[in-house]
Amino acid sequence: MKPVTVGVLGLGTVGGGTVNVLKRNAGEIARRAGREIVVTRASARDLNRTRICATDGITLTADPFEIVNDPDIDVVVELIGGYDLAKQLVLTAIANGKHVVTANKALIALHGNEIFAEASKKGVMVLFEAAVAGGIPIIKAIREGLAGNRIKWLAGIINGTGNFILTEMRDKGRDFVDVLAEAQALGYAEADPTFDVEGIDAGHKLTILASIAFGIPLQFEKVFTEGITKITRLDVDYAEALGYRIKNLGIARKTEDGIELRVHPTLIPKRRLIANVDGVMNAVLVCGDAVGPTLYYGAGAGAEPTASAVVADLVDVVRAMTSDPENRVPHLAFQADAIADIPVLPVEQIKTAYYLRLTAEDKPGVLADVTRILAAHNISIEALIQKEPPQGETSVPIIMLTQLTLEKEMNAAIAAIEALTTVSGKVARIRLETLG
Amino acid sequence: MKPVTVGVLGLGTVGGGTVNVLKRNAGEIARRAGREIVVTRASARDLNRTRICATDGITLTADPFEIVNDPDIDVVVELIGGYDLAKQLVLTAIANGKHVVTANKALIALHGNEIFAEASKKGVMVLFEAAVAGGIPIIKAIREGLAGNRIKWLAGIINGTGNFILTEMRDKGRDFVDVLAEAQALGYAEADPTFDVEGIDAGHKLTILASIAFGIPLQFEKVFTEGITKITRLDVDYAEALGYRIKNLGIARKTEDGIELRVHPTLIPKRRLIANVDGVMNAVLVCGDAVGPTLYYGAGAGAEPTASAVVADLVDVVRAMTSDPENRVPHLAFQADAIADIPVLPVEQIKTAYYLRLTAEDKPGVLADVTRILAAHNISIEALIQKEPPQGETSVPIIMLTQLTLEKEMNAAIAAIEALTTVSGKVARIRLETLG
């Protein structure tokens, strides 16, 4: 089958990331989607700029209308941001019968109702997973994964810049203005940071989340927003002392009287998982009446995390375009004829770090014997605790953390250690993963 | 359009929960799916047992084959568990052209390859979101939401019983055997706990996750499993002292040599979010090459959390059966004609708790004035800190946490407090949510 052709509007951070991910993972993506997905055209304001992606095979243009009007383009990916031009391009693409994938939260929050109405008339898809919380598939989770629930409320850290600033203020005792300047230098915050620090960006995203959670129209103009600019180190510290963290949350809650839509700095109990989401990371907590609280965590911005959501939407489009509609998503994610029989490793060939605990006589040379055995099996020690022997006992517990080790080597080392006359009983071993 | 008819095999905890959720949320579910979903038949071994669900309108039978052979049933929901009978029923349902939704992890892990092949031949859907991590839409997240990624590894707390036991051992310094007995009394663990504590149940779930992550066949027989029965309080404490938690993880990792599939107790750094997933809760950490680490958290078992996943699958089935295939999932989750214009509350009508900080003269009566104003506006104080005045100063910071308060009342109270001559400057106020 011929590849699905994609035209990308905007080749900045997310556009470049999307081109890179589609190219790098082309094989895996085609195995999932059942068809190749190829970027054939892209638009950029400045055609001569250095980019994060290669553009070979892609016809570039400075005029994005050429792409939305190109009969050879199946799907338009809108990544230029902003309102008016983006809206015009998306509506033209829809009018031309093209499916649209967009990462533009402002566009969806403000003009989504109109855009979706046009898309429904033309029978085309408009997907926007990347518009909220970057790479976290939160739209899909709420719209499909929690479809059996009445959603009671949701609360999200959905602006990475704001979360980075609040995290730095707490961890390093720094002031708002100081951290904002750093965030700007790091590229986390725009030169004009209003959208991020005044809650506008989070308000756009909350508008979308609330709409799909409660089945209400998009209505950004009704969101209450309060920024984080007035948060002081003093308040961060007092909150901490009281057992709370200050996070900038977007909150949507259904009450008997109506729906609350609000973005503001919020004290939340430290023990909640979401209170421990730090730096530029995003997380959304969704509470359904059947499922209870669920949390979705990941990178909320950046070239490739956002591209991850854009490409997932493209795969959804392709699956809906080409698969048997009765069986849209392959049972095992990959098309049945694309399942690969990659070998599964026997446990002896697995590499992990280890926690080891053994009981040894408290006399010179014992530890040296143990470490000599480990070294002979290429096992490096990361940390070691040797306790004093308990009153009246002559043996001591030795606890070690090792670096990455082949399981086979560890088995042999443990057998050798257990054979030492100075070591009693079995060596307790638990594998260790940093999950970094 | 006539409702989609569902036959439920097994009316135990999950079956009862599914019937309850479908009935209670019928309106909301139909607004999402575009069609009513009605349980018309159900099977149960003992027809006279007391159940958690009402069965009016449902024709009961002791013979599940009546249901899979009933031409009036559109979708079969298999919730009886186990291998042989479940397999026979599911294959019969498929042969009869019915879609199947199942929560049976053992069935999918062991017989999924065969079942999916039959389903593909017949063009019917077999969905199994509830088979892994209960209400967390983790199958959907990996299979669709992360479809643009090469998955590098995943690690999950996917057995609630095991996590409950390890959490209790750590928090209360209790022994494994002791906590296991309690888990059995609470109904978290089976009378024969082998599947849970020896990692078999987690192995079934890991088999499924690895298959959809890497595009490999289901191959439970190749999973390495080690139980948690040998974990001692001593190891839990030493791990803690070294900055680690012990969690029972299912881990799947793609390496250059092949795929690792393993379930075992694992030390993980305390600072990781997943290290803080406690009790019977589940979480899965998935790392894709584009998106980086993402985490999915929620209830991994129980009547309604599992029903949440079963019903989401039913909605997916109905959407695929009835919607315009070009636009399978409505843009805003609910069918366009079912969007409800529920009022959005003005911020004055929102209720939250508050953190307040004010600066007052350090003399008798000031605090009484402040608390009198709060009381007059029906604001209850939850906690109060009054600091000593800094050296040489006569004013002190007062910090208060309030209980739930109407924003309008809080605005009025703050205005009155700021008008006190003994209070200087503005009152700092930050909203507080327990997210409980």
Side-chain angles (χ1 to χ4, degrees), chain A residues 238, chain B residues 362 385-391 393 395-397:
Chain A
Y238 284 133
Chain B
D362 183 29
I385 309 178
Q386 186 170 4
K387 296 276 175 183
E388 288 298 302
Q391 193 87 36
E393 289 193 27
S395 63
V396 291

Side-chain angles (χ1 to χ4, degrees), chain B residues 66-94:
Chain B
E66 280 183 19
I67 296 177
V68 295
N69 286 316
D70 182 342
D72 291 334
I73 291 293
D74 298 319
V75 190
V76 167
V77 174
E78 186 277 302
L79 302 172
I80 58 172
Y83 306 92
D84 296 338
L85 177 60
K87 183 183 171 189
Q88 223 183 319
L89 288 165
V90 165
L91 288 176
T92 310
I94 291 169

